[in-house]
Amino acid sequence: MRYLLLVVLLSSGVVQLSAQVTNIDTVDYPNPVIPKSNTYHFNTDYWYTIAVRAYAYEQFPQLLNQPSGQPYHPSYLNGLLFKINDNQISYRLQAAHFRNDIAFDNECEGCLPQVSGKLRNTAIKVGVEKSVNYSRVQPYFGGDLGFMFQQFNTRGFDNTTVFAEDTKNALLFSPFVGAKVYVIPRIAVGVEANFNIAYTYQKVNHYADDSFSGAPNQVRRYRWEYFFAPVAAITLQYSFGLINQ
């Protein structure tokens, strides 16, 4: 009787244990979900960028005996920019040319009559540009080194009392800040401002009258100059050559 009771208890325990065991192959698991890679609608990973300087508003080195606080000059469609991009760093080469008739105060601010003449200014720069992010709107900063050649001549301007030719060469360092906005993939609009530190050599030939004949009274001088461009360039930029293709 005692053995029969033991057998009944063991059989009851085995039944209860088998009721609690679930075969592993009957368990349902959800299908694995693999995250999708991010899609960038405004891809900025391009090797090269070419840009046209559509507008600028800037100062130039001093002319003749012009007082401090040089005037600002607007210009349109007069420059090109080429960049080689490496992630958030770009190496850039640019050239710009200004040519226009101008008038300015010579010996002092507000002194009349003003001096009138034709100004030509050509600048070539190389530099480095660092973008802050990869987004559609990209602030950036950097610096350029360059050379500037400038000529001013009053020949042919009847309303001037100064008969002179002013030639100036300048070595430049131009730190800048700016931002570019991608309008559509590959195409962006950029705006930047810079501050120019220049070491200049100036040669001025003064003549006695408007015939510009005879030996001129010549002045030569070296100096440090500083001038500002609140709108150094508004550019239309096109990028090409996908880095990750």
Side-chain angles (χ1 to χ4, degrees), residues 19-190:
Q20 295 178 3
V21 174
T22 303
N23 292 333
I24 192 169
D25 58 356
T26 63
V27 177
D28 294 330
Y29 292 96
N31 294 327
V33 177
I34 302 175
K36 295 182 179 180
S37 60
N38 292 330
T39 301
Y40 297 96
H41 297 290
F42 287 86
N43 192 347
T44 61
D45 294 332
Y46 298 97
W47 280 115
Y48 310 106
T49 299
I50 188 168
V52 176
R53 188 167 86 154
Y55 176 77
Y57 187 67
E58 59 191 329
Q59 292 176 318
F60 294 117
Q62 183 189 46
L63 299 169
L64 301 179
N65 295 316
Q66 189 177 23
S68 60
Q70 297 97 312
Y72 292 92
H73 301 280
S75 59
Y76 304 88
L77 297 174
N78 65 340
L80 291 174
L81 170 68
F82 178 73
K83 295 190 291 187
I84 299 176
N85 307 310
D86 184 8
N87 293 322
Q88 288 178 288
I89 295 178
S90 300
Y91 306 95
R92 43 192 256 168
L93 169 66
Q94 61 178 311
H97 178 72
F98 177 90
R99 177 189 173 114
N100 204 1
D101 297 342
I102 65 169
F104 61 92
D105 301 330
N106 190 29
E107 298 294 340
C108 61
E109 293 189 26
C111 293
L112 295 176
Q114 289 188 317
V115 175
S116 300
K118 183 174 292 294
L119 174 63
R120 298 178 179 89
N121 181 289
T122 301
I124 299 174
K125 299 179 181 179
V126 295
V128 177
E129 174 186 309
K130 167 68 175 175
S131 295
V132 176
N133 55 42
Y134 289 104
S135 67
R136 182 175 178 179
V137 180
Q138 297 184 13
Y140 63 85
F141 62 92
D144 291 320
L145 294 174
F147 178 80
M148 180 176 284
F149 176 71
Q150 179 172 280
Q151 289 182 313
F152 176 75
N153 198 320
T154 65
R155 185 192 299 267
F157 288 80
D158 298 332
N159 57 340
T160 185
T161 59
V162 176
F163 313 107
E165 299 168 339
D166 184 336
T167 302
K168 179 170 285 188
N169 299 325
L171 295 176
L172 301 173
F173 171 60
S174 305
F176 59 82
V177 295
K180 55 187 175 183
V181 179
Y182 280 83
V183 181
I184 60 174
R186 296 179 180 267
I187 296 179
V189 176

Side-chain angles (χ1 to χ4, degrees), residues 192-203:
E192 72 178 56
N194 68 23
F195 178 73
N196 296 280
I197 303 170
Y199 185 67
T200 64
Y201 166 69
Q202 182 181 31
K203 183 178 71 173

